[in-house]
Amino acid sequence: MTEKDTHPSSTHPPLPPTSEDDQFSCLRLLRCRRVGISTYQRLLIEHGTAQNALAALPEVARAAGVANYTVCPEGVIHAELKAGRAAGAHLIAQGSPDYPEMLNDLRDAPPFLWVIGDVRSLNKPTIAMVGARNASSLGTRMARGLAGDLGAAGYVVVSGLARGIDAAAHLATLATGTVAVQAGGVDTIYPAENAELAHNIALKGARISEQPMGLQPMARHFPARNRLISGLAQATVVVEAAAKSGSLITARDALDLGRDVLAVPGNPLDARASGCNMLIRDGATLVRDAADVLEALAPIAPLTPQLPLQPPAERPRDTRTLQETATLHSQILSRLGPSPLAEDQLIRDIGAPPSSVTPALVELELDGSINRAPGGLLSRAI
């Protein structure tokens, strides 16, 4: 029995379990051997309830060539729920009011999350901040400053509770709220040196995990954790990252969701900055300070004052000549590639007024020359 890339046809999150017995059975189904999120979703669709899916699972496995298959024992789930209660953790099902709305954009959104702390922080405006574990002194200072300013601006900062940049971002936002996504069980602190930090995070923010209680993290768990970091956030800021690092996986996950990716540039001779410089080269927004991040997120900034409604100004007529239009189209296409670029960044790069560039973008989009992704990202059609 293998994972298939099949998902419910509806774009709405599934309905949460309607009773404790239903929740128990759903969690048991998810914890069954070789049942990942896609298989879990498919089984629920095909069999209607988790109880029916559990009854059918041995036969489904046999048809897939897996002999003597047994479902997850009830005792395993009882033990997990007991461990959750002992740790003061809450089990949140997808579709419930406390479930993070942003995660529903993931094709493999976790059906359940364990949460320790304030569940309300999961649905506040959120920015992810990730970077190197062996961060430089300058990188750590940059992360603290950025995170502190973003927290003061009303954003919850989410990261992965790792050494280096993650820890600096969490520390700077303890007072304003921060979310730590853990690779292992929510009650298992890794690295151990961050135990006090993890405790403090739960006081005003939250620690979350999709993994069973007590699970010790392994290397394969971290990419899955990274997708949750980017999935929770409206944008991802990379402070320091090597060319091949988990931080770049997080950035790619954010791009796949159509979310903004921003990066702090670094010395080309420092390997810890190579990943950030690559991201900027490929279209990520360059970050010098928190103002750059807030500017990129202006349309969704949580503390933007509400101005009195004004009658819409008359749209200026487009007076471009055919030659000017062709030149502007050429400028746009020369700056776009397969990697998504934020529309506001493109407008700044071209140096033309938005009132001229926006109609040209619409023309190129209708012409099939460019693609528009969620989050205001543009790329050149291949």
Side-chain angles (χ1 to χ4, degrees):
M1 186 165 49
T2 58
E3 282 288 287
K4 294 183 180 179
D5 189 23
T6 55
H7 307 275
S9 58
S10 172
T11 58
H12 299 288
L15 294 175
T18 55
S19 67
E20 286 189 8
D21 288 343
D22 191 19
Q23 178 173 275
F24 184 94
S25 297
C26 286
L27 185 60
R28 186 182 177 199
L29 177 62
L30 183 64
R31 299 297 189 235
C32 284
R33 182 167 55 97
R34 299 195 182 189
V35 174
I37 293 173
S38 295
T39 301
Y40 169 88
Q41 293 170 338
R42 189 177 73 250
L43 288 169
L44 285 181
I45 292 172
E46 291 176 354
H47 299 283
T49 68
Q51 292 89 337
N52 292 341
L54 286 165
L57 193 51
E59 177 59 27
V60 173
R62 189 195 65 77
V66 181
N68 301 318
Y69 184 90
T70 57
V71 300
C72 176
E74 290 187 358
V76 171
I77 305 305
H78 283 301
E80 180 174 350
L81 295 174
K82 181 179 179 180
R85 290 192 294 269
H90 306 279
L91 185 63
I92 298 177
Q94 188 181 18
S96 67
D98 290 330
Y99 191 87
E101 179 66 27
M102 297 288 284
L103 285 186
N104 288 320
D105 288 343
L106 293 173
R107 292 175 60 82
D108 57 348
F112 290 96
L113 288 172
W114 281 109
V115 181
I116 295 179
D118 185 1
V119 296
R120 294 172 299 178
S121 61
L122 302 179
N123 278 302
K124 294 179 180 179
T126 305
I127 295 176
M129 187 170 295
V130 295
R133 288 177 170 82
N134 62 332
S136 68
S137 175
L138 182 61
T140 303
R141 191 163 72 247
M142 184 70 175
R144 284 198 303 264
L146 279 175
D149 290 343
L150 293 172
Y155 284 92
V156 170
V157 173
V158 58
S159 197
L161 197 59
R163 300 181 181 94
I165 299 301
D166 289 19
H170 288 310
L171 280 166
T173 51
L174 287 175
T176 54
T178 184
V179 172
V181 184
Q182 298 177 232
V186 74
D187 58 338
T188 303
I189 307 305
Y190 179 86
E193 66 197 58
N194 284 344
E196 182 180 359
L197 173 60
H199 171 76
N200 291 333
I201 287 171
L203 296 180
K204 289 199 68 173
R207 303 198 321 262
I208 73 168
S209 175
E210 65 179 322
Q211 302 295 349
M213 299 294 294
L215 180 73
Q216 292 293 329
M218 301 178 67
R220 69 175 184 271
H221 297 136
F222 287 91
R225 177 206 64 174
N226 293 343
R227 92 187 192 288
L228 296 187
I229 293 174
S230 61
L232 282 167
Q234 293 160 338
T236 296
V237 180
V238 186
V239 178
E240 278 187 341
K244 295 181 179 179
S245 66
S247 298
L248 293 197
I249 294 176
T250 308
R252 286 196 295 270
D253 289 341
L255 289 173
D256 289 343
L257 290 170
R259 312 271 175 86
D260 287 310
V261 172
L262 307 93
V264 176
N267 190 323
L269 300 180
D270 187 346
R272 289 171 296 197
S274 59
C276 289
N277 292 338
M278 288 168 53
L279 289 172
I280 294 169
R281 179 198 65 190
D282 294 339
T285 299
L286 186 149
V287 173
R288 298 163 298 177
D289 51 32
D292 287 334
V293 181
L294 296 173
E295 180 183 358
L297 299 180
I300 54 173
L303 298 184
T304 301
Q306 298 297 313
L307 300 177
L309 293 176
Q310 299 289 341
E314 184 178 350
R315 183 181 296 274
R317 298 182 61 186
D318 189 357
T319 58
R320 289 175 291 155
T321 66
L322 290 176
Q323 180 60 43
E324 289 170 339
T325 298
T327 300
L328 184 53
H329 284 187
S330 178
Q331 288 178 320
I332 292 172
L333 293 174
S334 67
R335 285 169 170 79
L336 289 177
S339 297
L341 177 67
E343 181 176 336
D344 56 352
Q345 181 63 51
L346 174 65
I347 293 173
R348 287 196 296 269
D349 290 345
I350 292 174
S355 58
S356 297
V357 179
T358 300
L361 291 174
V362 174
E363 293 162 4
L364 290 170
E365 185 179 5
L366 294 175
D367 186 52
S369 298
I370 64 173
N371 297 320
R372 186 184 295 273
L377 298 177
L378 303 168
S379 61
R380 187 165 181 172
I382 300 175

